[in-house]
Amino acid sequence: MTFQDQLQQGIPAELPSKKPYDPQINHAPKRKEILSDEEKKLALKNALRYFEPKFHAELLPEFKAELETYGRIYMYRFRPDYEMKARPIGDYPGKSDQAKAIMLMIQNNLDYAVAQHPHELITYGGNGAVFQNWAQYLLTMKYLSEMTDEQTLTMYSGHPMGLFPSHKEAPRVVVTNGMVIPNYSKPDDWEKMNALGVSQYGQMTAGSYMYIGPQGIVHGTTITVLNAFRKIKKEPVGGLFVTSGLGGMSGAQPKAGNIAGCITVCAEVNPKITKIRHDQKWIDEIIEDLDDLVSRVKKAKENKETVSLAFLGNIVEVWEKFDGENLKIDIGSDQTSLHNPWAGGYYPVGISFEEANKMMAKDPALFKEKVQETLRRHAAAINQHTAKGTYFFDYGNAFLLEASRAGAAVMAENGIDFRYPSYVQDIMGPMCFDYGFGPFRWVCASGEPKDLSKTDEIACAVLEEIKKTSPPEIQQQMADNIQWIKGAQENKLVVGSQARILYADAEGRMKIAAAFNSAIKKGEIGAVVLGRDHHDVSGTDSPYRETSNIYDGSKFTADMAIQNVIGDSFRGATWVSIHNGGGVGWGEVINGGFGMLLDGSEDADRRLKSMLFWDVNNGISRRSWARNEGAVFAIKRAMEAEPNLKVTLPNIVDEGLF
């Protein structure tokens, strides 16, 4: 059976043979047992409804064993035999090029070089899933292979509810993930609903099919690192950046450190993912002994090297050791998956990786206790360094939030705010998001490296032209982004699909996309899929990250993200998504994203201008109403450029009146 035939068949008519468990693959940890006996029965019935009754007797004990062994029913037997990777768009069967583009992006999210736990359909963050099980994947690909441009596929937390009649201007796919009733957004609510097979954590770009590997965050991390050094008025060369986490998006940190030109120490407890990042050349060296690490860092400082060092061990030991050795850390952060602290997102110190994985499933209460003890130690060690001048920032992974819940000394004197800022508060918010700059991205649907190279050239030329007339307020942002795109090829950022990320504002995004569409029409490049990270100007309401620099009391509201995805859907997006959870945790954030296929057509040209303008300026208007100075400037400029845009502006109150 050909690849195309396998996609079109969906769930096979005959049961495939069982798949052996591959210990070489990085697997998700066992989830804790949370279902009652009656709920386990319900989970099994929910799983079996994907299959004809004649198979139930054979599948029931198998699915029961999966639920008992892993805490979830993944349906490993139905994992496809073909290689999981993004293929050229022409290799996909179907009646709609837009649907084919979505198939390409789904497979890229599950590529072994991209996904964190590919056999469990988890892309990054420990629990950021594309689907809950393999039956959902098979059905979705079948629906997409049959879809016309007069239909829309509705996705309920990984489950393809079905194809519905629509029209060519509608999105081809509408995705929701984890959209539960607000009172049911506690971590255990997710554990239970996910074990039942009725909801999932889509993270941000995992469940919206727009993940492009660690590159997706490299650019933002590079900007953050560069500006963190600017804040302390120090050149990155010879400077030391200490952080942790190499899985999923956090794997971008050492690469960003190298691009910025500093010394990076990134701790990771998982040996498999550490090796993967080393094999991918995202880290330069792996060190397993703390004394060796100290010696290596001292040598790098003396020689002013640009180098990334992975410490295979717990980050707490690094902070404590460097304090004891009086080794100066210039900037510090953390990017472990603390949105998922009790199920493998953060590991306790003093316990082996293997023992910790057993404890989190067998004794979750003790595991939680050990994690919180570690958070207190972690924060205490950071405090020792900041007292000596280290600039520490929260990288939006819920580190300060979970540390505060553990009773760590991370609160400011007022008892309300955190002692340390979010990087959005200090850097990305006022410098980028308020001015409309965010993580625009694209994927060359041909799969050809030459197409990616050509799009890099096009994007660079567009930005250089825009910069000539850009106001002084955004000259630094323009210069940083031009420097980034010029070095994109040499930094070897591609993992999986031929993709690129580039921070740009609405003007930049629209002009770059229009130039791509023109090049496609002329036959210079193949089709291009546009998207962005949800971690952007408009798409995400997250009070401890994306909207942490909103100070008018509205940072806990989610109107912006909901308006964003609704607006994108009728302005021309090929697919849209809205999620509960992502980055900082289930119940802590609402975030939305989109994908758009450029095919060289006049329709694509019209849609990209309408949708990209809204997708950015929705967020700028909200930030402006919150009285963010940069956003007020940016939205006034947008209104001058577009007469149909009329935004309510805030009146500033004289503080002296109070």
Side-chain angles (χ1 to χ4, degrees):
M1 191 179 289
T2 67
F3 168 69
Q4 290 79 8
D5 290 338
Q6 290 182 72
L7 290 182
Q8 289 174 304
Q9 77 167 341
I11 295 175
E14 298 298 328
L15 291 182
S17 58
K18 290 184 180 181
K19 298 286 192 302
Y21 185 86
D22 186 351
Q24 300 305 311
I25 296 295
N26 193 35
H27 288 283
K30 180 184 178 181
R31 308 303 183 183
K32 68 180 180 181
E33 188 167 319
I34 197 166
L35 301 181
S36 66
D37 289 344
E38 196 61 31
E39 287 168 335
K40 288 177 183 177
K41 181 179 176 182
L42 181 58
L44 290 163
K45 289 168 69 175
N46 287 346
L48 290 169
R49 61 184 161 177
Y50 286 100
F51 307 96
E52 292 182 34
K54 64 181 180 180
F55 299 127
H56 289 183
E58 183 173 350
L59 291 175
L60 178 59
E62 184 177 322
F63 289 171
K64 185 173 183 290
E66 285 189 15
L67 187 60
E68 291 172 351
T69 305
Y70 310 113
R72 297 291 185 272
I73 300 171
Y74 297 114
M75 306 180 187
Y76 289 121
R77 176 197 289 259
F78 295 93
R79 183 167 51 81
D81 292 321
Y82 51 76
E83 185 180 0
M84 192 62 70
K85 66 177 184 179
R87 292 160 173 78
I89 192 168
D91 287 3
Y92 292 94
K95 304 167 186 175
S96 165
D97 284 346
Q98 293 183 56
K100 292 177 185 179
I102 297 167
M103 297 165 84
L104 181 161
M105 296 302 295
I106 287 172
Q107 290 203 309
N108 186 63
N109 266 25
L110 295 172
D111 186 323
Y112 284 20
V114 173
Q116 185 180 12
H117 306 307
H119 287 188
E120 289 77 37
L121 301 122
I122 290 170
T123 301
Y124 69 95
N127 56 1
V130 188
F131 301 98
Q132 297 180 65
N133 57 58
W134 285 103
Q136 292 178 346
Y137 166 85
L138 295 174
L139 265 180
T140 300
M141 299 302 270
K142 175 180 171 61
Y143 279 134
L144 290 169
S145 74
E146 297 171 348
M147 173 188 285
T148 72
D149 286 341
E150 301 291 328
Q151 292 172 302
T152 292
L153 176 61
T154 303
M155 300 294 301
Y156 280 41
S157 280
H159 170 67
M161 191 58 73
L163 290 172
F164 290 83
S166 60
H167 53 86
K168 74 169 191 172
E169 297 298 324
R172 296 283 66 80
V173 178
V174 175
V175 179
T176 55
N177 280 301
M179 299 304 293
V180 303
I181 305 302
N183 275 354
Y184 301 89
S185 273
K186 297 184 294 296
D188 276 357
D189 292 326
W190 171 75
E191 292 281 358
K192 179 168 287 191
M193 284 183 269
N194 195 224
L196 286 171
V198 296
S199 192
Q200 75 171 12
Y201 193 92
Q203 257 287 351
M204 289 186 149
T205 50
S208 64
Y209 323 144
M210 191 45 70
Y211 189 64
I212 58 170
Q215 180 189 175
I217 200 173
V218 170
H219 189 10
T221 307
T222 302
I223 291 172
T224 301
V225 171
L226 283 171
N227 284 293
F229 277 106
R230 286 170 183 158
K231 282 188 75 68
I232 63 173
K233 297 179 171 55
K234 180 172 181 175
E235 287 294 317
V237 177
L240 177 59
F241 170 38
V242 171
T243 185
S244 60
L246 285 172
M249 280 197 163
S250 55
Q253 295 176 109
K255 174 66 82 172
N258 279 8
I259 295 170
C262 65
I263 302 160
T264 305
V265 172
C266 189
E268 171 59 57
V269 295
N270 185 338
K272 284 183 182 176
I273 197 64
T274 304
K275 183 179 185 303
I276 287 169
R277 293 290 178 246
H278 188 251
D279 291 345
Q280 291 173 340
K281 302 190 186 309
W282 286 69
I283 53 174
D284 297 322
E285 301 171 28
I286 299 173
I287 298 174
E288 300 186 32
D289 180 83
L290 282 168
D291 289 327
D292 291 344
L293 180 65
V294 169
S295 298
R296 183 67 185 91
V297 170
K298 286 180 177 178
K299 179 183 175 185
K301 276 177 167 278
E302 288 169 10
N303 298 329
K304 293 193 172 181
E305 294 180 56
T306 295
V307 65
S308 55
L309 310 172
F311 174 67
L312 185 54
N314 199 289
I315 182 60
V316 176
E317 296 174 315
V318 176
W319 283 99
E320 291 176 343
K321 180 71 171 179
F322 284 12
D323 179 41
E325 296 286 338
N326 207 26
L327 192 57
K328 174 69 183 295
I329 297 172
D330 295 293
I331 63 173
S333 191
D334 181 84
Q335 209 176 62
T336 50
S337 296
L338 267 161
H339 70 277
N340 181 33
W342 324 126
Y346 184 89
Y347 281 78
V349 68
I351 302 171
S352 73
F353 180 63
E354 294 76 14
E355 286 302 311
N357 280 330
K358 291 176 184 175
M359 185 190 293
M360 76 175 70
K362 291 182 177 179
D363 195 345
L366 179 60
F367 183 79
K368 180 176 181 178
E369 182 183 315
K370 294 294 183 184
V371 164
Q372 292 191 319
E373 284 177 7
T374 301
L375 281 166
R376 291 192 290 270
R377 270 180 65 179
H378 195 164
I382 289 167
N383 292 342
Q384 289 289 105
H385 283 273
T386 57
K388 302 174 187 176
T390 297
Y391 171 61
F392 182 85
F393 55 90
D394 185 289
Y395 210 167
N397 65 327
F399 172 74
L400 291 178
L401 181 63
E402 287 301 334
S404 69
R405 289 169 175 169
V410 294
M411 302 307 294
E413 289 184 9
N414 63 14
I416 299 170
D417 300 315
F418 293 129
R419 177 182 295 194
Y420 305 111
S422 154
Y423 75 115
V424 173
Q425 288 174 285
D426 257 17
I427 297 170
M428 299 305 289
M431 284 201 62
C432 293
F433 294 165
D434 285 354
Y435 287 100
F437 286 85
F440 181 54
R441 57 179 60 167
W442 64 88
V443 176
C444 295
S446 66
E448 293 285 349
K450 63 181 178 61
D451 276 10
L452 184 60
S453 180
K454 180 66 176 176
T455 58
D456 285 345
E457 291 173 16
I458 292 170
C460 187
V462 168
L463 292 185
E464 288 181 324
E465 186 62 30
I466 293 172
K467 186 176 184 294
K468 291 176 183 177
T469 55
S470 291
E473 288 84 350
I474 61 170
Q475 281 291 315
Q476 181 68 65
Q477 291 91 323
M478 295 298 297
D480 284 349
N481 291 316
I482 290 167
Q483 181 182 352
W484 163 266
I485 199 68
K486 283 183 174 178
Q489 292 282 332
E490 65 188 59
N491 286 315
K492 295 179 172 52
L493 299 164
V494 170
V495 176
S497 60
Q498 295 296 312
R500 183 67 71 228
I501 188 168
L502 172 66
Y503 268 59
D505 62 3
E507 180 185 11
R509 298 183 204 202
M510 288 189 292
K511 288 183 175 177
I512 290 169
F516 288 171
N517 204 48
S518 176
I520 296 165
K521 184 177 181 179
K522 294 173 185 174
E524 296 172 359
I525 57 174
V528 171
V529 177
L530 299 182
R532 59 162 169 75
D533 196 349
H534 296 204
H535 173 61
D536 196 13
V537 181
S538 271
T540 298
D541 283 296
S542 180
Y544 298 107
R545 196 164 78 180
E546 284 79 3
T547 44
S548 62
N549 71 320
I550 298 292
Y551 300 113
D552 68 349
S554 71
K555 69 179 183 178
F556 293 101
T557 65
D559 300 84
M560 181 177 72
I562 298 298
Q563 289 282 358
N564 184 257
V565 74
I566 293 171
D568 283 355
S569 70
F570 64 76
R571 286 180 172 88
T574 303
W575 73 96
V576 292
S577 59
I578 190 76
H579 303 173
N580 167 23
V584 297
W586 175 267
E588 304 284 358
V589 51
I590 300 294
N591 63 92
F594 76 86
M596 174 180 275
L597 177 67
L598 299 183
D599 57 7
S601 67
E602 290 183 10
D603 278 348
D605 202 54
R606 171 176 51 81
R607 289 170 182 159
L608 72 87
K609 289 170 184 172
S610 174
M611 201 217 73
L612 293 175
F613 184 85
W614 156 259
D615 191 66
V616 174
N617 282 296
N618 168 50
I620 297 177
S621 64
R622 188 268 178 98
R623 294 168 186 279
S624 164
W625 187 238
R627 296 183 290 270
N628 291 17
E629 188 177 338
V632 173
F633 167 85
I635 205 66
K636 285 180 178 178
R637 186 165 172 254
M639 285 192 282
E640 290 171 4
E642 173 51 74
N644 284 334
L645 178 66
K646 299 182 187 301
V647 171
T648 309
L649 295 173
N651 292 296
I652 308 302
V653 181
D654 183 353
E655 287 288 331
L657 292 175
F658 298 95

